[in-house]
Amino acid sequence: MGRERNHNGQPDFEALYRDASPEQDAPELIPWDIGGPQPVVQQLVAYGAVRGEVLDPGTGPGHHAIYYASKGYSATGIDASPAAIERAERNAERAGVRVDFKVADATRLEGLEDRFDTVVDSAFYHVFLDDEQTQTQYAQALHRATKPGARLFMFEFGRHNVNGLQPEGLPAENFDRVLPAAGWRIDHLGITTYQATFSPETFTHLTKEMSGDSGWAERMKPMQEQLQIIAPLLKNNRVHLPVWAVTATRLD
């Protein structure tokens, strides 16, 4: 089955979540699902950066929204994939926490005006790699959905190199163009890492699901070659990927 596309021409993750076994806490075929929150997100909470009502856009399996709820925050997770939200709800039930999960377009956030104090975008914005128009629409929607003085934290694939891995990601100037124009002041733009699991089966599955995108396999080929070289050094196929760490404040 080829991977479906949404109305913006961007990949739809429904097929990936639908095909992965619901019994697996960390499905091998979904590389960014490591079975729990990313360490960089846990660090944000530990530093006291997260406050008030928290939005997790592109929540996927819901691990981050669930983590915020477990720490006492009111959390909302939004994803366009019903299969992802079903998985997130199962994960929340197992964790014994309540999260407001919604199937909706996170680039529009309709009906959620003036609601959130904190947004943590954990690898959602970079999905629209070649679509700055959708990135701008999304940044504007975040401005509408947040309260005055809200904080925005973003972790998105970059173009730097970590242990030999250099995926296709966003240039730093992308944030400089998009965020201020949408009413966000960039307070910090630096680099960190994001964990993922890449096995040979992962690439086989992703390539099958991305069969509708003729350029995807070619774009991923350099990273596949890099992973083949470092694979003997990895434990359980776990890698650190280079990401931008962005902190921004909502301006009024």
Side-chain angles (χ1 to χ4, degrees), residues 152-163:
L152 168 63
F153 301 96
M154 306 175 76
F155 300 108
E156 318 297 340
F157 280 172
R159 295 184 174 180
H160 35 293
N161 188 303
V162 174
N163 293 331

Side-chain angles (χ1 to χ4, degrees), residues 39 42 85 88 104 129 134 147 157 163 183 207 211-212 221 233:
Q42 296 181 62
I85 292 298
L129 181 66
T134 297
K147 299 175 184 176
F157 280 172
N163 293 331
T207 300
S211 61
K221 190 174 180 180
L233 305 176

Side-chain angles (χ1 to χ4, degrees), residues 68-217:
Y68 307 137
S70 75
K71 298 299 181 180
Y73 297 100
S74 176
T76 298
I78 295 179
D79 204 290
S81 164
I85 292 298
E86 288 177 13
R87 182 182 294 273
E89 289 173 339
R90 287 194 300 269
N91 288 336
E93 185 176 359
R94 284 198 291 265
V97 299
R98 290 194 61 180
V99 176
D100 184 11
F101 285 118
K102 299 178 183 293
V103 177
D105 185 348
T107 68
R108 296 184 181 277
L109 300 173
E110 294 172 346
L112 295 172
E113 289 75 18
D114 304 310
R115 176 166 170 178
F116 300 102
D117 302 285
T118 306
V119 179
V120 185
D121 179 323
S122 188
F124 177 65
Y125 177 90
H126 72 213
V127 169
F128 311 102
L129 181 66
D130 302 315
D131 188 354
E132 201 162 299
Q133 180 178 350
T134 297
Q135 291 172 341
T136 299
Q137 170 188 294
Y138 168 57
Q140 292 170 341
L142 289 179
H143 193 278
R144 292 192 303 272
T146 49
K147 299 175 184 176
R151 305 297 299 282
L152 168 63
F153 301 96
M154 306 175 76
F155 300 108
E156 318 297 340
F157 280 172
R159 295 184 174 180
H160 35 293
N161 188 303
V162 174
N163 293 331
L165 288 179
Q166 190 169 358
E168 181 184 44
L170 293 163
E173 55 267 23
N174 170 274
F175 303 102
D176 292 328
R177 286 193 304 270
V178 173
L179 294 183
W184 294 94
R185 182 189 70 223
I186 297 176
D187 301 313
H188 172 76
L189 175 59
I191 58 174
T192 185
T193 66
Y194 193 92
Q195 293 188 16
T197 303
F198 279 100
S199 67
E201 293 76 20
T202 305
F203 277 108
T204 299
H205 184 66
L206 288 175
T207 300
K208 180 187 74 171
E209 299 297 353
M210 289 295 294
S211 61
D213 183 347
S214 58
W216 185 87

